[in-house]
Amino acid sequence: MRRSLFLEHALLPSGWAMDVGLDIEDGAIAAVHPGAAPAGRERIPGIAIPGLPNLHSHAFQRGMAGLAETRGPSGDSFWTWRQVMYRFLGRLSPEDVQAIAAFAFMEMLEGGFTALAEFHYLHHDVDGRPYADLAEMSARIAAAAAETGMGLTLLPVFYAYGGFGAQPAGEGQRRFLNDPERFLRLAEGARKAIAGLPDAVVGIAPHSLRAVTPGTLTEVLAATPAGPVHIHVAEQVKEVEDCIAWSGRRPVDWLLGHAAVDGRWCLIHATHMDGAETAALARSGAVAGLCPITEANLGDGIFPGADYLARGGRFGVGSDSNVEITAPGELRLLEYGQRLSRRARNVMAAAEGESVGRRLYDAALAGGTAATARRLGAIAPGSRADLVVLDAGHPDMAAAGDRWLDAYVFVAGRAAIDRVLVGGRTLVEGGRHLGRAAIAGAYARAMARIAA
Ligand code: NGQ
Ligand code: ZN
């Protein structure tokens, strides 16, 4: 399929350009013509920027957004939230998961994300038994991506234990569990499940150092020589303490010492690092997967962003628990966490005169592209035609150039989004997904079923 677009304004690798002709073939950009004539091309008014990848999501958690904000008897924490989350997922059928995922993916597209790495660990039936099709739930995630048009990197999760040192998993975790052999079969099933999706990718995700042993981690890595590898690490202080008690080392330090962590890897959160870990992670070439809204919601802590950036570390952003879904909002809170903790301004930019919005956007685009392992990241030949088009008539968009990204990230947020295209196909218009009515209806019915 061929399409020719005419973009009024576009952020190209060479900078901001006007009147850009875009030739698209099979969802990918074939040619870019700055200063093109509009004749014969479909006009896309507004300010086109490359779509941002969302590098970390647990789609099903969208269904419990707002349901864990009531104070409990004492000591509410990440760990009490996790109990609520386990109770919620204990009720979900494959149909529910598909409906919730489709709703979340739709909101991601409306919120400025055009690709997604789904960190998928809800594999089995409510009693912990595998479905007749081991990859049933993976197929549901793929179906939700097909329904919404979201670009998918599916990360089936390897989860085998309940805590450091091969502690047995609890009842709330039984839907997640596999030994390495069954996990590798499941990953094979996930590859089949995505086969019909344009340009989709399958990677793997050992859930966390809590959920694996050194031996099983080595085994699944050895069997998966290519593709992205994601893992949660050092999100909570208790996790750091437990890791030290188990191994004598901090989690990021342990991981960098025991696995060949490189550009294939994405370390989710990596919130609690000392200076040596921060430097070593930056050197490794891995991407730090930051989820500022969820990390704030769960009380995780603040990533050492300024030090990591100064050392050239790569990062991207993810919507994780999906309690609120907004690409510019994740970037804004990333910067604001740094400002609050350092009592300074404009922290995540390097040079005088550099726009923080632009710097955050460029960095998260590069990091998210690496972490999703898809052909993304620029309005340039070879890249998928994934575009977010901001409304040039929005009152906050009166300035131009990088000020547009500052306005998008710090001021207007997702309200500035007019149109979203994935693989050259328009999925969002006037800020709303074209399939919104049906997708929201199915979601509402699923939520009513779950509450019943
Ligand atoms: C998850 N989410 O797997 O959904 C985790 C919580 C855990 C976040 N860390 C469970 N945000 O880490 O054990
Ligand atoms: Zn997570």
Side-chain angles (χ1 to χ4, degrees):
M1 189 202 65
R2 287 172 134 275
R3 279 187 79 187
S4 302
L5 306 182
F6 180 81
L7 309 174
E8 283 182 353
H9 301 277
L11 180 57
L12 305 182
S14 54
W16 293 98
M18 283 180 70
D19 301 345
V20 175
L22 209 61
D23 300 340
I24 299 169
E25 274 173 44
D26 293 329
I29 298 173
V32 180
H33 310 279
R41 298 179 177 276
E42 182 190 344
R43 189 180 194 94
I44 309 284
I47 303 151
I49 57 178
L52 202 69
N54 179 358
L55 58 59
H56 188 68
S57 150
H58 311 288
F60 75 84
Q61 290 175 12
R62 175 63 183 83
M64 59 171 282
L67 300 181
E69 311 298 331
T70 302
R71 195 175 169 96
S74 71
D76 285 16
S77 70
F78 174 90
W79 307 100
T80 61
W81 168 85
R82 193 171 80 157
Q83 287 307 321
V84 176
M85 192 263 284
Y86 286 175
R87 278 199 296 278
F88 173 76
L89 69 80
R91 307 181 57 100
L92 303 179
S93 70
E95 293 74 20
D96 297 333
V97 165
Q98 183 177 337
I100 298 170
F103 190 74
F105 297 174
M106 173 185 78
E107 288 192 327
M108 290 172 196
L109 290 161
E110 291 177 346
F113 290 119
T114 52
L116 162 73
E118 175 65 16
F119 197 108
H120 169 63
Y121 63 87
L122 184 55
H123 299 308
H124 307 314
D125 208 339
V126 291
D127 58 3
R129 264 194 288 243
Y131 289 104
D133 171 4
L134 183 58
E136 166 82 39
M137 286 294 205
S138 298
R140 298 298 183 150
I141 299 294
E147 228 179 286
T148 53
M150 173 59 83
L152 182 65
T153 295
L154 182 57
L155 303 169
V157 170
F158 174 59
Y159 201 121
Y161 300 98
F164 289 101
Q167 290 171 45
E171 200 162 280
Q173 298 164 330
R174 61 190 169 188
R175 302 191 74 174
F176 321 154
L177 304 176
N178 289 293
D179 60 18
E181 181 274 325
R182 193 166 77 187
F183 168 71
L184 293 169
R185 271 196 287 130
L186 199 158
E188 212 34 62
R191 281 187 195 96
K192 292 201 183 86
I194 60 128
L197 292 173
D199 230 37
V201 170
V202 169
I204 60 165
H207 179 275
S208 54
L209 295 179
R210 292 175 269 124
V212 303
T213 55
T216 52
L217 177 62
T218 305
E219 193 176 341
V220 299
L221 288 171
T224 318
V229 181
H230 291 215
I231 186 168
H232 291 120
V233 70
E235 179 179 11
Q236 281 280 317
V237 169
K238 178 180 185 303
E239 181 186 348
V240 176
E241 292 166 353
D242 290 354
C243 188
I244 292 171
W246 165 66
S247 69
R249 294 173 76 169
R250 302 168 59 83
V252 171
D253 180 39
W254 189 96
L255 185 62
L256 294 175
H258 287 83
V261 174
D262 60 12
R264 274 177 81 193
W265 285 70
C266 180
L267 273 59
I268 306 301
H269 309 303
T271 311
H272 300 288
M273 297 192 288
D274 63 21
E277 288 176 299
T278 306
L281 179 59
R283 263 199 316 273
S284 75
V287 175
L290 309 178
C291 309
I293 292 174
T294 296
E295 288 157 8
N297 182 273
L298 298 181
D300 289 339
I302 295 175
F303 179 80
D307 297 350
Y308 185 71
L309 197 68
R311 294 178 182 280
R314 300 207 289 173
F315 69 87
V317 293
S319 64
D320 193 351
S321 68
N322 296 312
V323 64
E324 183 192 358
I325 295 176
T326 154
E330 295 291 354
L331 298 175
R332 178 166 63 242
L333 193 56
L334 172 56
E335 167 69 17
Y336 283 177
Q338 304 300 312
R339 293 188 188 186
L340 286 163
S341 66
R342 302 173 73 91
R343 286 173 285 179
R345 299 193 73 253
N346 301 336
V347 178
M348 297 294 278
E352 185 180 346
E354 189 178 22
S355 144
V356 180
R358 173 69 188 272
R359 174 61 180 254
L360 286 168
Y361 204 86
D362 283 353
L365 185 59
T369 298
T372 51
R374 301 180 84 250
R375 293 181 294 141
L376 308 170
I379 303 180
S383 203
R384 305 274 306 162
D386 290 9
L387 307 176
V388 170
V389 186
L390 306 176
D391 173 9
H394 189 287
D396 294 320
M397 294 291 156
D402 290 348
R403 294 293 88 70
W404 280 327
L405 283 173
D406 287 330
Y408 179 46
V409 169
F410 291 105
V411 191
R414 50 181 287 181
I417 297 172
D418 178 23
R419 203 185 277 245
V420 177
L421 296 86
V422 174
R425 230 174 98 208
T426 295
L427 300 174
V428 171
E429 243 174 32
R432 291 174 77 82
H433 193 282
L434 298 171
R436 184 170 242 288
I439 293 165
Y443 175 71
R445 286 192 297 279
M447 293 307 291
R449 265 199 314 269
I450 294 158

